[in-house]
């Protein structure tokens, strides 16, 4: 039976989503990765303070944090087998597609040189990732609020127009029985749709 290629399958699903839903999915995945990487760096720093080697500290951290990142998993496997962190990181950097993963790999490579400075580098890198996590979460919340406001503002004229058509014969006759009325309805729906699409483009741009 053919094995499912999860990364490729996920990319195919994302490509079929609408632009704003695709952006939301990417942002959600980014939040999860930032959280997982910051916990991984913190756990590795704690293990180093306990006297473990860098390879053992990273391996224990991945088991504790249940990290499912394939690049980190390959790094742990390679260094456990005896490959140096410098060589392993250099080999795996092209496979790291996101900046936060590249940042994590370079930090681990720096910490592998040994000394107290390596522990501090891991801890401070974890702080940087958590700050970015907070910023992304805040931006996502603000985008959600903006989209909610847009939906309310775009549906309000439709509801008012429908209520006027039902309750006022003069409005009903103008909008339904005249060419000018149909033109007003067409322009109203066109501007309404264009405004919603423009707001989606602003608050939910696709990630590069």
């Amino acid at each position: 039976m053919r094995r499912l290629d999860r990364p490729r399958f996920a990319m195919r699903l994302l490509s079929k989503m609408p632009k704003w839903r695709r952006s939301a999915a990417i942002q959600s995945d980014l939040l999860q990765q930032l959280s997982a990487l910051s916990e991984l760096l913190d756990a590795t720093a704690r293990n180093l303070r306990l006297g473990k080697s860098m390879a053992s500290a990273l391996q224990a951290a991945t088991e504790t944090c249940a990290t499912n990142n394939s690049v980190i998993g390959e790094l742990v496997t390679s260094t456990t087998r005896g490959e140096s962190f410098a060589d392993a990181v250099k080999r795996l950097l092209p496979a790291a597609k996101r900046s936060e993963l590249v940042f994590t790999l370079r930090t681990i490579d720096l910490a592998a040189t040994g000394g107290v400075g390596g522990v501090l580098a891991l801890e401070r890198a974890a702080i940087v990732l958590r700050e970015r996590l907070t910023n992304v979460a805040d931006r996502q919340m603000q985008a959600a609020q903006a989209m909610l406001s847009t939906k309310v503002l775009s549906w309000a004229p439709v509801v008012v127009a429908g209520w006027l058509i039902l309750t006022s014969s003069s409005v009903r006759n103008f909008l339904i029985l005249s060419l000018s009325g149909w033109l007003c309805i067409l322009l109203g729906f066109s501007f309404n749709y264009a405004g919603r699409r423009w707001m989606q483009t602003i608050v939910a741009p696709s990630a590069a």
Side-chain angles (χ1 to χ4, degrees):
M1 191 173 180
R2 188 178 178 182
R3 186 177 179 182
L4 179 63
D5 189 345
R6 291 186 178 180
R8 184 173 298 176
F9 180 70
M11 290 302 297
R12 290 179 61 186
L13 284 180
L14 286 174
S15 65
K16 294 180 180 179
M17 290 183 180
K19 184 178 181 180
W20 66 277
R21 288 187 181 274
R22 183 166 66 246
S23 176
I26 293 174
Q27 290 292 321
S28 177
D29 181 65
L30 175 60
L31 290 174
Q32 293 178 0
Q33 186 163 144
L34 286 171
S35 177
L37 291 177
S38 61
E39 291 178 4
L40 175 70
L41 293 178
D42 266 341
T44 304
R46 287 194 299 269
N47 291 331
L48 285 177
R49 289 188 181 278
L50 293 176
K52 294 183 178 181
S53 66
M54 185 62 191
S56 299
L58 183 60
Q59 182 180 16
T62 55
E63 295 173 354
T64 302
C65 302
T67 304
N68 57 2
N69 188 284
S70 59
V71 176
I72 297 297
E74 178 63 24
L75 177 64
V76 172
T77 302
S78 300
T79 53
T80 301
R81 292 174 179 173
E83 185 177 0
S84 68
F85 276 91
D87 293 339
V89 169
K90 183 178 180 180
R91 176 172 54 84
L92 293 172
L93 276 177
K97 302 300 182 182
R98 287 187 168 175
S99 59
E100 62 274 4
L101 184 55
V102 173
F103 175 71
T104 301
L105 289 175
R106 293 191 182 279
T107 303
I108 291 174
D109 184 22
L110 176 63
T113 58
V116 180
V119 177
L120 295 177
L122 292 173
E123 293 173 343
R124 290 176 181 175
I127 294 174
V128 171
L129 291 178
R130 285 198 177 91
E131 288 178 349
R132 187 178 179 195
L133 173 64
T134 302
N135 293 335
V136 172
D138 289 343
R139 186 167 63 247
Q140 196 172 36
M141 181 182 64
Q142 293 170 3
Q145 292 174 347
M147 285 304 304
L148 178 60
S149 300
T150 301
K151 290 179 181 180
V152 172
L153 292 175
S154 61
W155 278 108
V158 177
V159 174
V160 172
W163 180 75
L164 289 174
I165 290 174
L166 292 176
T167 58
S168 174
S169 59
S170 59
V171 173
R172 183 167 56 249
N173 292 334
F174 172 75
L175 291 178
I176 298 178
L177 302 180
S178 68
L179 182 60
S180 299
W182 280 106
L183 180 61
C184 289
I185 293 176
L186 179 60
L187 287 176
F189 276 107
S190 298
F191 284 127
N192 196 318
Y193 176 77
R196 293 188 64 171
R197 294 292 297 178
W198 179 247
M199 182 57 70
Q200 289 172 1
T201 302
I202 293 174
V203 304
S206 59

